Amino acid sequence: MPQLPPDWAAHLESGVSHRLGGSHADGQPEICRGLAAQALADGHVEVLLAADIADRLLAAVQASGRIAYVAAQPGSHRTLHVKGLDAEVFTPTAGHAPLFERCRERFIAQVEPYGFSREAIMAIWYDLGVQRLAGIRFTPCGAWDQTPGPGAGNPVELLR
């Protein structure tokens, strides 16, 4: 199964801003902000979202299995774009709580220097328990380094 290289896999938990896009079977697009992500040892990528605002994206993923995911680090602008064709929706468990908390704390550390307070971030994006999350799991079928600069758009070689 294709996997992200270790440095890009670690990037997913480094305090990045997560964005997901999908489309319904008829091609109608949907987008949503993600809250946390991880690359699993088996090669899958898991992204956690606020279930109550992700319903349209989740329906699109269930209908088509297609997903586009972008993970951008605010402090460095390092950005990864990953696509999948086998995306599935799952219900996060209590075991996902440490991932959610780790990603939240790292994201807060990334944006506090720009004047965003912990309280504002918690109120807007992260004031959730695991029971209010949904997840999308997929296998990367392609990945690109989208970090601004001369290398933007270069493919990331997936490990086999």
Side-chain angles (χ1 to χ4, degrees):
M1 172 181 297
Q3 297 184 37
L4 293 173
D7 62 323
W8 283 114
H11 177 73
L12 303 186
E13 294 186 47
S14 70
V16 298
S17 172
H18 308 272
R19 300 279 196 284
L20 296 112
S23 61
H24 297 278
D26 65 0
Q28 178 66 34
E30 299 291 347
I31 61 170
C32 189
R33 175 183 301 279
L35 299 174
Q38 65 182 344
L40 302 175
D42 69 2
H44 286 103
V45 171
E46 288 186 342
V47 185
L48 304 179
L49 310 94
D52 58 346
I53 63 168
D55 56 335
R56 291 172 30 178
L57 176 66
L58 297 171
V61 166
Q62 288 175 315
S64 71
R66 295 184 303 261
I67 193 74
Y69 167 60
V70 176
Q73 192 176 65
S76 68
H77 304 295
R78 187 170 190 234
T79 304
L80 176 68
H81 175 197
V82 185
K83 290 188 180 184
L85 299 173
D86 66 347
E88 60 185 12
V89 174
F90 73 94
T91 301
T93 67
H96 286 92
L99 168 69
F100 182 68
E101 293 166 10
R102 193 167 52 249
C103 288
R104 177 189 63 217
E105 293 306 310
R106 290 175 180 168
F107 181 75
I108 290 170
Q110 282 283 319
V111 298
E112 278 182 321
Y114 300 103
F116 295 96
S117 71
R118 169 178 289 280
E119 294 76 23
I121 294 165
M122 293 294 288
I124 296 169
W125 293 324
Y126 289 95
D127 193 11
L128 303 173
V130 171
Q131 69 279 5
R132 293 185 53 209
L133 298 175
I136 294 175
R137 181 182 299 119
F138 67 96
T139 306
C141 68
W144 297 266
D145 181 345
Q146 295 293 354
T147 306
N154 286 340
V156 170
E157 188 172 341
L158 298 175
L159 305 177
R160 305 264 175 201

